């Protein structure tokens, strides 16, 4: 497996080739949630090598990963602001 990018998949974020599983998805499960790489491989139905490759990419490109996370959070915030507010005030 290898890490790849394609603007048509996950907005161009790095992902495990042949899947829609982003490097950030793997890192969130292993680093933030404390799951084992083997458990993440089973959950995502990818090889353990793919999980380790995604983690390696994450650690080699931490600044890039943070930029993707910030852009993702900003996009969600914009959607929240525009879609959850009523267009008219309720009297």
């Amino acid at each position: 497996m290898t890490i790849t990018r394609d603007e048509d998949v996950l907005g161009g974020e790095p992902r495990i080739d042949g899947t829609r599983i982003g490097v950030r998805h793997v890192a969130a499960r292993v680093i933030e949630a404390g799951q084992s790489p083997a458990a993440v491989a089973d959950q995502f139905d990818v090889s353990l090598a793919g999980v380790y490759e995604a983690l390696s990419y994450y650690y080699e490109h931490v600044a890039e990963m943070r930029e993707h996370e910030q852009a993702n959070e900003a996009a969600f915030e914009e959607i929240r602001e525009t879609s959850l507010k009523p267009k008219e005030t309720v009297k």
Side-chain angles (χ1 to χ4, degrees):
M1 301 210 115
T2 186
I3 303 302
T4 189
R5 297 167 178 264
D6 181 340
E7 287 303 317
D8 295 331
V9 181
L10 298 180
E13 284 196 41
R15 64 183 171 84
I16 298 173
D17 191 31
T19 73
R20 293 184 52 83
I21 300 165
V23 168
R24 285 189 314 116
H25 299 128
V26 172
R29 297 274 178 112
V30 175
I31 298 166
E32 295 170 21
Q35 296 178 356
S36 73
V40 173
D42 285 343
Q43 290 169 357
F44 285 142
D45 194 27
V46 296
S47 71
L48 185 56
V51 169
Y52 279 113
E53 195 166 342
L55 290 171
S56 178
Y57 186 96
Y58 178 87
Y59 282 117
E60 290 175 0
H61 302 91
V62 173
E64 174 191 350
M65 296 294 97
R66 287 188 181 143
E67 287 174 13
H68 285 299
E69 184 63 33
Q70 290 170 347
N72 196 40
E73 287 174 8
F76 276 120
E77 187 59 34
E78 183 178 328
I79 290 169
R80 255 185 246 126
E81 288 294 317
T82 59
S83 66
L84 296 180
K85 290 186 177 180
K87 296 189 189 300
E88 300 176 9
T89 57
V90 178
K91 294 182 181 183

